[in-house]
């Protein structure tokens, strides 16, 4: 009874405003925790693999070896979120953030909370605190190997995933190797990374960037919901040195 | 005439003690004043009173009546905090609050008709006051009247804790008339004169003609006569709220270990946070004052990144502070002082991205501060200069979100440099042209886990000279190279021109 009435009223509104208003049912559906974040589509490589981008309320794990473009991917994600006016948190275990480079990559630094833990247990506790603090995007960056504090226990990762699910946070764990186990609802990896150099081998060389393949998708049996279920074909990721 | 409400806490020293140690309420406990044989019972808990312990008796007499009676001395710090808490309760209802005595507060009840409407408005106000005091841990009784004395006596005569005694406007003289003259606490000489006149009750005095009393007894007699008629000799004297909030306790015996101290500190901080919360404030800086055995004193101050009312976070900060810098002696008393600040307000947007809840954000920042320590969390800021490792951290205070959702632009897709802090010193083999041919870490610090920057150089690009501060005492000159190690990643390394040493300060990633 109420919904047809609401729809009738909506149809009388100006088109741009009507497009923004929703019925309560639509609103509930739109705020389901597993829905992807709207700014996720700003990264075409990610959108090609996971339509809509990273899901909310799910722990996404990104694994990549040395110089695979993992930090570049993280900065691109932070840039997409913060430039859309969202706040984001980076739990940076390796203390590797270069603010100058991040600003050059488009990250709005004033919207970024940077936490610099010393070991993995501090990083997990800090991540749980910021997830509970309502940040829409939380990135846990575990730095270069060896990760101080070891691999972490499964229960710790599950606890973090549960916190993200309760808060509806987009949670990305960026790690040199897989360590979240079954807690990760989406598992991504950067593979076959290779640097690109310009110039002849015998002459002066210049670093142009890095190329890698972004692969992965929803883990079988994991609780990723919504439209993020399917994994796409591997996508080429190109990061430029300047 | 102005209507006044009075909040009176009976047996205040005991109430303050029970507020700090609520578990004592079920035990037979007496609060005593004085030392040794001179110790006298000031107040006792209900189990002790039921067993026959009376105020005014010596401790020895009380223990003869009840052998298992536990005695506690007066806790000046807890009494001070309880008095402040009672004033806070009154301040929540009216801005005009008078601090009469510890455990006795008057507040102006006029102008509260919109909040407590109707003919029973004053009764509702009284109930709300009693409820708020109970929530603050104090069993207060409430009286409402048009004079201080009538309001106080009404409060003291209230039948039950939660039910106020109301003296209707203009009926104060009638209410006071039946009371003995001694309740007016007249000066000794004045009291003797009135007794000689045969004045036994307040009503007897009130019935005398005012002018005759003034001509025979002077100004003091006239003031006493006005009080007997239900008139206040002076208007309410509102207090200035203190700039900070304080909670603490004097300890029965000194504590030398951290755990029992934290147990008591947790309860005090919990009370402090509840008081701040009730005022819509948060703790922006926490002061810790420790009384040390035998005569020492230790003052600490812990600055918080944002105002918070999260007691758990404050306990953790105190824990870290005392663990890092333990006090030099056993602790015999403590007090926490919270410098209050108003949490940031947020205006929610209909169409833009959601803003972080200011209260939740403050708690999160305080937790990170407690967890990681100072200078380990905040908003990064690019600073002036050319050194790649430079950065600054500012308190995280994000701007309000845009009013409308912005379409995120496509990120530039820039290769990041993962900084190595501090830079890792290397041993570098050079070819004939001076370009790096192979690298390996020069020394590994004991116990430190650093990335393995080691291997043959597949491609080297450089050098690029970086100079900074050539005009200063400490100039920096570095020759940078980008190197690809065979199977071991891309690194940014440099040679310090002054020392000739090589370092890796970043990894391309």
């Amino acid at each position: 009874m109420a919904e047809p009435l609401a729809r009738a009223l909506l149809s009388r509104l100006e088109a741009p405003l009507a497009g923004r208003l929703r019925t309560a049912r639509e609103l509930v559906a739109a705020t389901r925790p597993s829905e992807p974040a709207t700014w996720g589509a700003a990264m075409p490589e990610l959108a090609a693999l996971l339509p809509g981008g990273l899901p909310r309320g799910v722990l996404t794990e990104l694994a990549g070896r040395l110089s695979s473009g993992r930090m570049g991917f993280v900065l691109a994600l932070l840039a997409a979120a913060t430039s859309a006016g969202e706040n984001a948190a980076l739990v940076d275990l390796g203390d590797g953030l270069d603010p100058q480079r991040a600003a050059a990559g488009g990250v709005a630094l004033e919207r970024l909370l940077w936490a610099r833990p010393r070991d993995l247990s501090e990083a997990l506790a800090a991540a749980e605190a910021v997830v509970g603090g309502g940040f829409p995007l939380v990135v846990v960056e575990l730095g270069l190997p060896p990760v101080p504090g070891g691999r972490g226990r499964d229960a710790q990762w599950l606890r973090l995933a549960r916190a993200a699910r309760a808060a509806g946070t987009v949670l990305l764990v960026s790690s040199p190797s897989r360590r979240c186990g079954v807690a990760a609802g989406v598992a991504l990896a950067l593979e076959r990374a290779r640097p690109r150099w310009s110039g002849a081998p015998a002459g002066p060389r210049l670093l142009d960037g890095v190329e890698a393949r972004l692969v992965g998708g929803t883990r079988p049996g994991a609780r990723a919901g919504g439209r993020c279920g399917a994994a796409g074909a591997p996508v080429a990721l190109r990061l430029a040195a300047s | 005439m102005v209507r006044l409400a009075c909040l009176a806490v009976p047996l205040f020293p005991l109430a303050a003690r029970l507020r700090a140690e609520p578990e004592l309420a079920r035990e037979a406990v007496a609060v005593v004043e004085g030392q040794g044989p001179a110790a006298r019972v000031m107040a006792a808990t209900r189990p002790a009173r039921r067993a026959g312990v009376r105020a005014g008796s010596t401790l020895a007499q009380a223990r003869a009546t009840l052998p298992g009676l536990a005695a506690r001395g007066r806790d000046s710090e807890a009494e001070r905090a309880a008095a402040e808490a009672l004033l806070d309760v009154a301040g929540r209802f009216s801005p005009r609050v008078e601090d009469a005595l510890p455990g006795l507060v008057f507040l102006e009840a006029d102008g509260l008709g919109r909040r407590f409407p109707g003919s029973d408005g004053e009764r509702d106000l009284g109930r709300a006051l009693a409820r708020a005091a109970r929530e603050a841990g104090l069993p207060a009784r409430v009286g409402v009247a048009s004079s201080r004395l009538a309001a106080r006596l009404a409060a003291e005569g209230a039948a039950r804790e939660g039910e106020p005694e109301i003296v209707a406007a203009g009926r104060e003289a009638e209410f006071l008339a039946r009371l003995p003259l001694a309740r007016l606490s007249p000066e000794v000489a004045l009291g003797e004169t009135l007794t000689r006149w045969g004045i036994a009750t307040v009503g007897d005095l009130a019935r005398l003609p005012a002018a005759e009393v003034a001509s025979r007894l002077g100004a003091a007699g006239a003031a006493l006569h006005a009080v007997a008629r239900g008139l206040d000799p002076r208007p309410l004297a509102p207090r200035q709220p203190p700039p900070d909030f304080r909670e603490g306790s004097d300890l029965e015996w000194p504590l030398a270990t951290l755990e029992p101290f934290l147990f008591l500190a947790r309860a005090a901080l919990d009370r402090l946070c509840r008081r701040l919360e009730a005022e819509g404030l948060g703790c922006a800086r926490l002061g810790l004052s420790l009384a040390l055995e035998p005569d020492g004193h230790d003052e600490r101050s812990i600055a918080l990144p944002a105002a918070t009312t999260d007691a758990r976070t404050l306990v953790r900060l105190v824990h870290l502070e005392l663990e890092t810098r333990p006090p030099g002696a056993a602790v015999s008393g403590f007090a926490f002082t919270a410098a209050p600040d108003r949490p940031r307000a947020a205006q929610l947007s209909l169409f833009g991205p959601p803003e972080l809840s200011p209260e939740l954000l403050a708690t999160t920042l305080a937790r990170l501060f407690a967890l990681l320590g100072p200078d380990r969390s905040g908003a990064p800021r690019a600073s002036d200069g050319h050194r790649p490792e430079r950065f600054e951290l500012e308190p995280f205070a994000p701007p309000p979100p845009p009013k409308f959702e912005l379409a995120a632009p496509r990120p530039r897709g820039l290769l990041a440099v993962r900084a190595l802090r501090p830079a890792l010193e290397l041993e570098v083999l050079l070819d004939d042209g001076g370009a790096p041919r192979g690298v390996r870490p020069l020394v590994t610090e004991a116990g430190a886990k650093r990335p393995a920057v080691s291997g043959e150089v597949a491609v080297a690009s450089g050098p690029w000279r970086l100079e900074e501060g050539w005009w200063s005492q400490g100039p920096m000159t570095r020759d940078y190279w980008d190197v690809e190690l065979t199977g071991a990643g891309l690194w940014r390394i440099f040679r310090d021109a002054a020392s000739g040493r090589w370092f890796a300060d970043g990894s391309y990633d």
Side-chain angles (χ1 to χ4, degrees), chain B residues 188-216:
Chain B
V188 177
L190 197 58
E192 285 172 357
T193 305
L194 290 171
T195 309
R196 277 203 308 277
W197 290 359
I199 304 294
T201 65
V202 176
D204 294 342
L205 177 60
R207 275 191 293 276
L208 296 177
E212 299 298 323
V213 171
S215 68
R216 284 167 175 78

Side-chain angles (χ1 to χ4, degrees), chain B residues 188-378:
Chain B
V188 177
L190 197 58
E192 285 172 357
T193 305
L194 290 171
T195 309
R196 277 203 308 277
W197 290 359
I199 304 294
T201 65
V202 176
D204 294 342
L205 177 60
R207 275 191 293 276
L208 296 177
E212 299 298 323
V213 171
S215 68
R216 284 167 175 78
L217 299 178
L224 196 68
H225 187 256
V227 171
R229 286 183 293 141
L231 303 173
D232 264 341
R234 61 170 178 80
L236 195 82
R239 68 149 194 163
Q240 286 292 326
D244 46 28
F245 290 68
R246 191 178 166 104
E247 284 284 347
S249 190
D250 294 333
L251 303 180
E252 284 294 306
W253 51 84
L255 295 177
T257 51
L258 191 55
E259 280 308 314
F261 173 77
L262 287 176
F263 180 77
L264 297 173
R266 188 170 292 122
L269 287 169
D270 210 34
R271 291 196 299 274
L272 192 69
C273 287
R274 279 209 305 270
R275 280 175 61 193
L276 287 164
E277 223 168 36
E279 301 287 325
L281 298 168
C283 173
R285 197 182 64 250
L286 183 70
L288 169 58
S289 174
L290 298 172
L292 303 179
E293 283 284 292
D295 299 315
H297 208 71
D298 191 348
E299 296 278 347
R300 318 274 179 107
S301 179
I302 305 169
L304 282 99
T308 183
T309 54
D310 188 42
R312 204 176 56 158
T313 302
L314 297 182
V315 172
R316 187 171 170 83
L317 287 172
V318 170
H319 187 165
L320 289 173
E321 170 67 28
L322 294 180
E323 211 170 43
T324 317
R325 291 191 301 136
V331 176
S332 58
F334 67 92
F336 294 110
T337 312
D341 193 10
R342 209 160 279 285
R344 198 166 60 92
Q347 174 64 54
L348 298 181
S349 162
L350 270 176
F351 306 112
E355 184 163 8
L356 295 171
S357 150
E359 198 174 321
L360 205 52
L361 176 62
T363 304
T364 305
L365 295 178
R367 276 190 189 155
L368 285 180
F369 181 80
L371 187 69
L372 307 176
D375 303 325
R376 305 292 298 184
S377 62

Side-chain angles (χ1 to χ4, degrees), chain A residues 42-73:
Chain A
M43 287 180 68
E45 298 88 355
L46 186 60
L49 197 66
L50 299 170
L54 297 181
R56 293 186 195 275
V58 174
L59 189 157
T60 300
E61 184 175 26
L62 171 69
R65 301 181 62 186
L66 274 173
S67 302
S68 59
R70 189 159 53 88
M71 191 69 171
F73 182 94

Side-chain angles (χ1 to χ4, degrees), chain B residues 10-64:
Chain B
L11 307 176
F12 182 69
L14 175 67
R17 176 62 89 167
L18 293 182
R19 179 173 176 267
E21 297 175 72
E23 65 282 357
L24 291 182
R26 290 187 295 275
E27 294 175 21
V29 179
V31 172
V32 298
E33 195 163 36
Q35 298 287 329
R40 286 191 177 273
V41 174
M42 290 194 69
T45 55
R46 191 167 291 169
R49 291 200 302 272
R50 278 188 188 143
V53 175
R54 294 286 173 263
S57 58
T58 63
L59 182 58
Q61 287 170 330
R63 283 211 165 124

Side-chain angles (χ1 to χ4, degrees), chain B residues 126-140:
Chain B
R127 287 179 185 140
L129 277 166
R131 201 164 45 244
R134 164 60 64 191
E135 282 164 12
L138 292 166

Side-chain angles (χ1 to χ4, degrees), chain B residues 382-463:
Chain B
S383 55
D384 294 337
H386 298 288
R387 292 171 198 254
E389 68 271 18
R390 73 199 183 280
F391 73 90
E392 287 175 26
L393 263 183
E394 289 182 331
F396 182 69
K403 287 185 178 169
F404 294 92
E405 214 165 73
L406 302 175
R410 182 179 174 175
R412 281 187 61 196
L414 207 57
L415 183 64
V417 178
R418 196 186 284 278
L420 292 177
R421 295 188 177 100
L424 184 66
E425 188 162 6
L426 301 174
E427 186 177 3
V428 179
L429 294 174
L430 303 177
D431 63 15
D432 297 339
R437 192 159 55 86
V439 299
R440 65 179 182 192
L442 184 66
V443 275
T444 52
E445 298 106 83
K449 292 188 170 180
R450 304 302 308 270
V453 187
S454 178
E456 279 185 28
V457 174
V459 184
S461 172

